[in-house]
């Protein structure tokens, strides 16, 4: 019953829990009150605070007397509700004494505004085992878009939850309902470990883990069947990884744990120049105006140099590398006395020559454009700095067929999910790949429109789009955050601390998810969408539990989601496939 | 010659009387347990005593009224409310203490000879329920008579409750066969006429208004240790109308700045007029009284009348006050009711 000793308002009220009943935080409840004219008003809300206390005693130490049987007192068990919905929208307060009931079935749907959602997918399970619907139209860009996930790392919740959401979107039926199943895709950047390289493999621990949860909760169904999701790994996955360093014809992906099924990807030197990828090499270009100017200038020059041909390498006619300054010995010359630039380091050497050595150290005036030598040196120095990481990625010594084959194509036919493994790259090279791939995707979508939704999963947003400063990668991410939803590019971004990410990216996310947070972080303004009690609780969330806030429901809801059905580590891969070990051994020996 | 010593009465000054009164006693006091005037140690609580009731009552005058009946007779009266209630507890601590029968009753006390109908106050707000006042005739037409009537109605109820709850033990026969399983502690001195209801009822007197003991004996009260008691005496009042068994118990050590009798309480049980023997039940109750009361005694920082105002009593008083309702709301209801009777709207 609604309490009369605390204020009851249309947005929040307390209620007393009758003896024998039990209420926990995050339970959804419904109250019906009657207006003087007899018409009902329903309040739906979420319990955000529960407490018990001895009633009728005034001293804390009275508890000893009560327990010793001397002092009569009763236990008052009360809970506070944050109202999520008033139906109809008559914002009268509930009356003290109105009965409060658990929201179940239809009233649960109303409490979570599920009746307002034309298309919804499962966002996890509520504390009492019911499914939280998330409005798909607030994810795919129709009414809103983007998902932002915050949480400290180490408990592996951010990526897991992002993958769970993808699994729920792909396999939960919402796409079939909309007839979009075949052309909705995901692009996942793997920035830590090789965890995501086994998404297409079943997880051998899932049955055991989920069985334990089911047993603990005493449910007749497991969490996957409650969510109406298959216990299956991702389907139609391609894995892309940068190639191993060193020259040579063989291009092998630079991964350790997975031996097959990973496709290396490279950019040709010509694509690098024609595609104007140079700015993405510099993550801190905004720090100096002059440097930005030089980059823009060189970018333009290189684009012109690359125009008009399609072979992977570049040819220049005004450079004869001196043998003693060369890093690479295998410089090749064309028949017509031109020099062929085949590697990234040769390109840098060429730029160095044009900027700093030609004309007795004056440089080519058309390239230098009267820029200060110091700026030019800084430019070259930075290029040299990333050379080691980018050299295997940007190559001119490929055949046309190889270039075609190893070009990263995340929209490849028959592929639903692309995992791009970046964890071995340095920070600059990671930024380069993310920036270039996203830029390409964005430009592609600008040309072809929004029909195909592409979900981009990117962890550590704070690295790519920090609050301070500008960089080309941040520009791409901002573009995606602000315009991407109309083009069908949906960013599922994650970071440890939303306070360190560009505000416009976080604020554009329609769905916000919070896992375990540092308590100081939880008090920052970025988390104002969490009511105070939730902010406090964000510090004690366990892995597998998230607070989900969506536009349809004014308060965040605590959900848990099942253990991944796909392997997240090599040792989780169910490579036995249920067969006996001997049988597999025989397969190997054969 | 010792220097002058001043020590505090433990009770706060806004309580009508101090804990200590020192009025002389004119009645007769006879040693009935033993002529040896010395402290007697407390005994443990017997297992079979499984329930202790602490009974108290409370009354409140809500409005004084002037009544004119349909015959044209007029007189004074009052709306009043009273509550009697009990706390049931297990002295061994094996159950939660609970409140019993805490319910407000309301009376419309009026001067004799008036014809008064029951009064039922209907609320404007349906949540607050009706207030039913039962007419009760006072003994005289004096202005204070309604208050006295209210008090005596309450005491009557309290007595009925006390005796209804207690073990029915024979008080004046030799056999102790009926075990003492339930004991009632009643706040204040025992009422006149209660003896006929029988039952194990102990009155506990928090104050020491009357000095029963002579100068040669009073010293023992200061030297009692917590839980210890004096021997039981037989007491006959000056008028000879009341006879009681009585003894003193110390509940806690007196603080050095308080007068030395500050932790002491007087207990009494009904006694026959002629003191020929001490019933075993009285001795049994006296023996366990120290242990029981030390357990029930409150502490100074929680209750200004500690330790004599027992822990359950304090809770009971609070519950009784609540059962009578907010005095402001009730008087407002009375005003609105009368206004309605007179056919006028009144601003509450």
């Amino acid at each position: 019953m609604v309490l009369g000793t605390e204020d009851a308002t249309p947005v929040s009220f307390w209620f007393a829990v009758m003896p024998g009943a039990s209420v926990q935080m995050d339970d959804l409840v419904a109250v019906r009150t009657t207006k003087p004219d007899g018409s009902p008003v329903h309040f739906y809300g979420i319990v955000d605070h529960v407490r018990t206390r001895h009633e009728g005693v005034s001293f804390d130490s009275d508890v000893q007397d009560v327990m010793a049987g001397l002092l009569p007192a009763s236990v008052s068990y009360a809970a506070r509700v944050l109202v999520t919905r008033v139906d109809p929208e008559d914002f009268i307060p509930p009356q003290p004494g109105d009965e409060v009931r658990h929201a179940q079935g239809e009233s649960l749907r109303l409490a979570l505004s599920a009746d307002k959602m034309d298309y919804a997918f499962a966002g996890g399970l509520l504390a009492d085992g019911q499914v939280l619907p998330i409005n798909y139209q607030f994810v795919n860009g129709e009414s809103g878009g983007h998902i932002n996930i915050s949480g400290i790392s180490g408990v592996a919740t951010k990526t897991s939850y992002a993958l769970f959401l993808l699994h729920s979107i792909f396999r939960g039926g919402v796409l079939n309902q909309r007839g979009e199943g075949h052309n909705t895709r995901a692009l996942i950047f793997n920035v830590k470990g090789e965890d995501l390289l086994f998404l297409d493999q079943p997880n051998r621990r899932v049955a055991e883990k989920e069985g334990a949860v089911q047993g603990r909760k005493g449910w007749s169904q497991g969490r996957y069947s409650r969510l109406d999701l298959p216990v299956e790994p991702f389907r139609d996955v391609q894995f892309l990884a940068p190639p191993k360093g060193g020259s040579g014809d063989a291009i092998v992906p630079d991964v350790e744990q997975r031996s097959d099924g990973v496709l290396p990807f490279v950019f040709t030197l010509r694509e690098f120049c024609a595609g104007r990828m140079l700015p993405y090499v510099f993550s801190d270009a905004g720090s100096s105006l002059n440097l930005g100017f030089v980059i823009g200038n060189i970018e333009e020059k290189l684009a012109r140099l690359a125009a008009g041909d399609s072979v992977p390498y570049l040819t220049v006619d005004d450079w004869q590398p001196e043998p003693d300054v060369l890093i690479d010995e295998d410089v090749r010359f064309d028949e017509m006395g031109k020099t062929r630039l085949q590697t990234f380091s040769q390109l840098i050497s060429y730029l160095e020559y044009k900027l700093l050595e030609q004309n007795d150290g004056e440089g080519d005036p058309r390239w230098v454009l009267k820029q200060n030598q110091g700026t030019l040196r800084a430019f070259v120095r930075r290029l040299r700095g990333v050379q080691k990481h980018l050299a295997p990625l940007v190559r001119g010594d490929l055949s046309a067929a190889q270039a075609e084959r190893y070009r990263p194509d995340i929209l490849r036919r028959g592929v639903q999910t692309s995992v791009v493994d970046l964890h071995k790259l340095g920070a600059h090279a990671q930024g380069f790949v993310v920036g270039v791939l996203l830029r390409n995707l964005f430009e592609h979508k600008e040309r072809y429109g929004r029909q195909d939704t592409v979900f981009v999963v990117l962890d550590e947003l704070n690295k790519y789009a920090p609050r301070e400063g500008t960089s080309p990668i941040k520009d791409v991410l901002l573009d995606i955050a602000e315009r991407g939803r109309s083009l069908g590019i949906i960013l599922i971004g994650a970071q440890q601390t939303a306070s360190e990410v560009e505000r416009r990216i976080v604020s554009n996310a329609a769905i916000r998810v919070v896992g375990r947070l540092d308590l100081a972080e939880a008090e920052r303004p970025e988390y104002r969408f969490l009511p105070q009690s939730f902010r406090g609780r964000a510090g004690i969330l366990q892995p597998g539990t998230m607070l989900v806030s969506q536009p349809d429901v004014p308060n965040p809801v605590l959900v848990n989601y099942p253990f991944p059905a796909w392997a997240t580590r090599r040792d989780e891969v169910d490579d036995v496939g249920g067969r006996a070990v001997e049988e597999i051994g025989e397969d190997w020996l054969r | 010659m010792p220097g002058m010593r001043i020590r505090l009465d433990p009770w706060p000054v806004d309580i009508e009387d101090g804990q200590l009164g020192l009025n002389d006693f004119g009645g007769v006091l006879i040693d009935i347990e033993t002529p040896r005037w010395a402290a007697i140690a407390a005994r443990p609580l017997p297992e079979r005593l499984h329930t202790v009731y602490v009974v108290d009552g409370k009354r409140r005058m809500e409005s004084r009224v002037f009544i004119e009946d349909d015959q044209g007779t007029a007189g004074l009266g009052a709306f009043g409310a009273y509550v009697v209630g009990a706390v049931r507890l297990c002295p061994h601590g094996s159950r939660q203490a609970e409140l019993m029968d805490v319910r407000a009753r309301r009376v419309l006390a009026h001067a004799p000879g008036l014809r008064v109908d029951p009064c039922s106050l209907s609320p404007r707000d349906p949540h607050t329920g009706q207030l039913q006042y039962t007419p009760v005739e006072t003994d005289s037409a004096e202005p204070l008579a309604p208050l006295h009537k209210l008090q005596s109605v309450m005491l009557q109820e309290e007595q009925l409750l006390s005796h209804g709850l207690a073990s029915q033990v024979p008080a004046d026969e030799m056999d102790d066969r009926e075990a003492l399983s339930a004991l009632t502690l009643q706040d204040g001195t025992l009422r006149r006429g209660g003896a006929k209801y029988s039952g194990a009822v102990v009155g506990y007197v928090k104050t020491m208004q009357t000095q029963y003991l002579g100068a040669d004996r009073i010293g023992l009260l200061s030297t009692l240790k917590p839980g210890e008691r004096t021997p039981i005496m037989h007491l006959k009042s000056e008028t000879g109308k009341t006879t009681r068994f009585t003894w003193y118990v110390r509940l806690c050590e007196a603080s050095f700045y308080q007068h030395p009798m500050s932790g002491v309480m007087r207990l009494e049980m009904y006694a026959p007029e002629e003191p020929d023997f001490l019933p075993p039940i009285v001795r049994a109750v006296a023996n366990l009284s120290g242990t029981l009361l030390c357990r029930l005694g409150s502490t100074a920082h929680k209750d200004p009348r500690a330790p004599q105002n027992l822990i359950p009593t304090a809770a009971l008083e609070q519950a009784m006050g609540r059962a009578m309702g907010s005095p402001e709301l009730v008087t407002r209801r009375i005003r609105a009711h009368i206004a309605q009777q007179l056919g006028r709207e009144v601003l509450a």
Side-chain angles (χ1 to χ4, degrees):
Chain A
M1 284 187 199
V2 175
L3 287 192
T5 44
E6 303 271 355
D7 284 351
T9 70
V11 293
S12 166
F13 58 85
W14 283 86
F15 69 94
V17 183
M18 294 294 121
S22 150
V23 164
Q24 52 180 333
M25 279 168 107
D26 310 309
D27 278 350
L28 287 152
V29 295
V31 181
R32 177 198 148 111
T33 196
T34 311
K35 291 211 288 182
D37 64 6
S39 60
V41 177
H42 296 270
F43 297 87
Y44 301 97
I46 182 164
V47 174
D48 88 315
H49 200 71
V50 282
R51 64 137 171 87
T52 55
R53 69 192 314 174
H54 268 148
E55 208 172 33
V57 302
S58 42
F59 293 94
D60 290 345
S61 56
D62 283 343
V63 65
Q64 292 153 15
D65 290 337
V66 173
M67 293 327 283
L70 301 177
L71 185 64
S74 54
V75 173
S76 133
Y77 181 172
R80 187 175 64 194
V81 175
L82 293 178
V83 175
T84 54
R85 184 167 185 191
V86 184
D87 181 45
E89 286 199 318
D90 292 343
F91 287 94
I92 60 166
Q95 290 285 313
D98 283 340
E99 266 189 44
V100 181
R101 303 193 169 281
H102 265 288
Q104 268 163 345
E106 185 55 27
S107 60
L108 179 86
R109 275 173 50 77
L110 291 170
L112 295 172
S113 299
D115 57 321
K116 288 196 242 167
M117 303 179 189
D118 294 333
Y119 302 100
F121 63 97
L125 288 172
L126 302 169
D128 57 356
Q130 305 185 77
V131 178
L132 169 77
I134 294 184
N135 193 343
Y136 186 62
Q137 283 170 313
F138 272 109
V139 173
N140 75 347
E142 280 175 27
S143 313
H146 309 307
I147 299 175
N148 190 272
I149 306 176
S150 307
I152 58 171
S153 65
V155 282
T157 50
K158 288 169 297 188
T159 317
S160 310
Y161 190 62
L163 290 176
F164 166 74
L165 287 180
L166 280 182
H167 182 64
S168 177
I169 291 170
F170 285 160
R171 307 301 297 281
V174 66
L175 295 180
N176 290 340
Q177 201 185 340
R178 296 170 55 91
E180 293 178 354
H182 54 287
N183 49 14
T184 299
R185 297 158 194 276
L187 167 60
I188 303 171
F189 289 103
N190 179 35
V191 289
K192 274 178 297 188
E194 296 187 7
D195 300 354
L196 299 183
L197 292 182
F198 304 100
L199 283 186
D200 57 343
Q201 305 287 329
N203 189 325
R204 70 164 132 203
R205 292 168 63 204
V206 63
E208 166 208 341
K209 286 264 182 187
E210 284 306 298
V213 172
Q214 188 184 344
R216 197 167 64 235
K217 302 248 180 187
W219 290 341
S220 58
Q221 296 174 293
R223 286 194 281 192
Y224 276 99
S225 43
R226 278 178 173 262
L227 290 161
D228 204 12
L229 291 175
V231 192
E232 281 175 20
F234 278 76
R235 289 195 300 211
D236 306 326
V237 188
Q238 69 168 348
F239 297 95
L240 301 173
K244 279 206 167 84
S247 54
D249 284 341
I251 295 182
V252 277
D254 192 5
V255 291
E256 277 157 10
Q257 296 190 4
R258 192 174 168 133
S259 52
D260 60 335
V262 181
L263 199 64
F265 67 93
V266 291
F267 303 101
T268 65
L269 209 51
R270 186 169 296 277
E271 283 166 348
F272 178 83
C273 299
R276 297 170 181 271
M277 296 180 189
L278 181 68
Y280 296 93
V281 173
F282 299 89
S283 58
D284 56 349
S287 60
S288 144
L289 197 65
N290 289 345
L291 187 61
F293 180 76
V294 172
I295 294 167
N297 178 34
I298 308 285
E299 175 193 336
E300 184 60 39
K301 290 276 183 299
L302 289 179
R304 267 195 224 157
L305 197 62
D309 205 346
S310 63
V311 288
Y313 51 85
L314 294 172
T315 49
V316 291
D317 50 10
D318 49 357
W319 183 50
Q320 294 291 330
E322 293 167 31
D324 54 331
V325 272
L326 275 187
I327 285 126
D328 303 278
E329 289 91 44
D330 53 349
V331 180
R332 285 166 61 180
F333 299 94
D334 266 17
E335 292 82 338
M336 292 175 303
K338 288 183 174 180
T339 310
R340 202 185 268 196
L341 299 181
Q342 278 191 318
T343 65
F344 193 62
S345 65
Q346 284 169 357
L347 179 67
I348 300 175
S349 300
Y350 175 65
L351 290 176
E352 201 170 0
Y353 170 73
K354 293 299 276 181
L355 294 174
L356 298 171
E357 288 164 11
Q358 207 174 6
N359 288 344
D360 297 329
E362 293 291 312
D364 183 338
R366 282 171 304 154
W367 287 64
V368 171
L369 288 183
K370 296 193 174 141
Q371 282 298 309
N372 189 331
Q373 274 240 334
T375 313
L376 300 175
R377 283 191 191 285
F379 172 81
V380 174
R381 196 168 59 239
R382 279 163 211 237
L383 270 185
R384 286 278 179 221
V386 295
Q387 177 193 334
K388 175 173 150 245
H389 290 294
L390 286 190
L393 265 174
V394 181
R395 299 171 63 145
D397 55 349
L398 304 170
S399 67
Q402 276 178 316
E404 187 58 36
R405 184 167 169 221
Y406 296 127
R407 181 173 301 130
D409 181 8
I410 50 181
L411 300 174
R412 199 183 294 265
R413 188 170 286 279
V415 169
Q416 187 170 46
T417 305
S418 305
V419 177
V420 180
D421 177 61
L422 303 176
H423 80 282
K424 281 240 172 159
L425 295 178
H428 280 87
Q430 282 190 355
F432 172 77
V433 174
V434 170
V436 167
L437 287 181
L438 288 183
R439 203 261 324 255
N440 289 350
L441 174 66
F442 196 76
E443 286 175 353
H444 172 85
K445 298 290 277 185
E446 272 184 323
R447 253 175 282 135
Y448 295 100
R450 56 157 295 144
Q451 291 89 353
D452 309 354
T453 307
V454 178
F455 292 96
V456 175
V457 179
L458 181 57
D459 198 357
E460 313 224 16
L461 269 185
N462 48 331
K463 209 159 85 184
Y464 302 106
R467 171 150 296 179
E468 312 294 334
T470 58
S471 72
I473 302 141
K474 184 171 165 181
D475 291 342
V476 172
L477 286 169
L478 267 175
D479 259 349
I480 291 179
E482 291 178 343
R483 294 197 298 134
R485 83 177 174 89
S486 57
L487 296 173
I489 305 181
I490 302 304
L491 182 65
I492 303 183
Q495 68 282 320
Q496 281 197 47
T497 49
S499 60
E500 288 168 11
V501 178
E502 169 59 39
R503 204 169 273 131
R504 282 146 69 201
I505 291 183
V506 179
S507 63
N508 263 301
I511 312 284
R512 297 191 203 177
V513 181
V514 170
R516 173 102 148 249
L517 282 185
D518 178 62
L519 282 178
E521 170 72 12
E523 291 301 325
R524 291 181 192 271
E526 282 71 23
Y527 302 95
R528 285 281 154 78
F529 66 92
L530 294 177
Q532 187 61 45
S533 58
F534 282 81
R535 271 182 255 163
R537 203 138 52 97
I540 55 169
L541 290 180
Q542 292 299 306
T545 314
M546 307 298 264
L547 293 167
V548 179
S549 166
Q550 57 176 323
D552 279 334
V553 185
N555 284 306
V557 181
L558 183 125
V559 296
N560 64 77
Y561 58 96
F563 193 75
W566 46 92
T568 57
R569 287 201 308 268
R570 188 186 193 163
D571 59 0
E572 284 177 349
V573 173
D574 188 7
D575 47 7
V576 186
R579 293 184 296 167
V581 179
E582 291 81 7
E583 204 178 321
I584 295 173
E586 278 174 30
D587 273 0
W588 286 348
L589 293 172
R590 215 169 280 154
Chain B
M1 194 176 166
M4 187 177 76
R5 284 198 289 183
I6 296 178
R7 262 144 332 146
L8 296 181
D9 186 283
W11 287 17
V13 284
D14 54 355
I15 288 171
E16 224 169 289
D17 298 303
Q19 198 244 328
L20 203 59
L22 302 179
N23 298 321
D24 283 336
F25 173 59
V28 187
L29 208 59
I30 303 164
D31 288 335
I32 189 118
E33 188 179 15
T34 162
R36 191 172 157 269
W37 189 246
I40 297 170
R43 303 272 182 84
L45 294 171
E47 270 312 304
R48 62 175 186 275
L49 180 66
H50 57 71
T51 308
V52 169
Y53 299 95
V54 180
V55 173
D56 200 2
K58 198 172 183 175
R59 52 140 177 93
R60 182 173 78 197
M61 287 283 279
E62 293 179 334
S63 273
R64 270 187 281 272
V65 295
F66 177 73
I67 306 170
E68 293 167 291
D69 69 6
D70 50 1
Q71 310 286 314
T73 324
L76 294 177
F79 285 107
Y82 67 90
V83 193
V84 296
V87 174
R88 175 165 59 195
L89 58 91
C90 168
H92 308 289
S94 62
R95 288 193 306 272
Q96 286 261 307
E98 50 187 322
L99 291 165
M100 291 179 63
D101 203 28
V102 181
R103 186 163 58 83
R105 291 125 169 130
R106 291 171 201 275
V107 292
L108 171 53
H110 60 86
L114 291 177
R115 289 177 38 170
V116 176
D117 300 324
C119 215
S120 161
L121 273 56
S122 322
R124 212 185 317 176
D125 178 354
H127 287 295
T128 50
Q130 285 206 331
L131 300 182
Q132 295 284 354
Y133 286 88
T134 317
V136 184
E137 208 171 80
T138 57
D139 305 326
S140 73
E142 279 177 36
L144 278 180
L147 175 63
H148 294 152
K149 188 69 200 175
L150 181 62
Q151 173 81 2
S152 70
V153 171
M154 180 198 82
L155 292 179
Q156 180 72 21
E157 287 278 336
E158 196 180 314
Q159 201 169 47
L160 280 172
L161 180 65
S162 300
H163 291 272
L165 295 172
S167 284
Q168 295 303 308
V169 285
D172 52 359
E173 279 163 41
M174 285 302 286
D175 67 328
D176 189 20
R177 279 176 304 182
E178 192 165 358
L180 179 70
S181 58
L183 178 68
T184 301
L185 295 175
Q186 185 183 299
D187 191 14
T189 54
L190 296 175
R191 320 294 172 223
R192 229 169 259 171
K196 65 174 179 284
Y197 300 116
S198 77
V201 178
V202 185
Y204 64 96
V205 186
K206 296 191 280 262
T207 56
M208 295 172 73
Q209 297 303 326
T210 307
Q211 188 66 273
Y212 293 96
L213 302 175
D216 55 331
R217 292 191 155 192
I218 196 136
L220 177 63
L221 297 189
S222 313
T223 58
L224 286 177
K225 301 258 180 332
E228 284 182 348
R229 66 173 173 95
T230 64
I232 302 165
M233 295 159 289
H234 183 274
L235 176 154
K236 184 183 264 183
S237 68
E238 212 163 342
T239 56
K241 279 187 184 163
T242 33
T243 49
R244 301 281 187 268
F245 292 117
T246 187
W247 67 96
Y248 289 89
V249 176
R250 176 173 280 282
L251 270 58
C252 71
E253 297 278 8
S255 294
F256 67 93
Y257 55 84
Q258 292 170 344
H259 68 69
M261 280 163 279
S262 62
V264 178
M265 193 184 235
R266 186 171 68 83
L267 302 186
E268 54 179 40
M269 288 183 81
Y270 288 111
E273 273 186 42
E274 287 317 313
D276 38 10
F277 79 106
L278 178 69
I281 180 73
V282 175
R283 190 196 292 266
V285 170
N287 280 340
L288 63 85
S289 63
T291 312
L292 181 63
L293 289 171
C294 281
R295 186 166 293 178
L296 299 186
S298 48
T299 44
H301 68 282
K302 296 188 188 183
D303 195 318
R305 290 182 287 165
Q308 283 96 331
N309 209 34
L310 305 178
I311 292 169
T313 317
L316 187 56
E317 280 174 348
Q318 200 184 347
M320 290 190 299
R322 205 173 59 186
M324 286 192 283
S326 150
E328 288 83 9
L329 284 179
V330 172
T331 44
R332 208 185 290 177
R333 290 265 297 273
I334 293 171
R335 220 182 309 154
H337 173 77
I338 291 170
Q340 205 181 19
Q341 298 283 299
L342 299 175
R344 300 255 186 89
E345 222 11 83
V346 73
L347 289 176

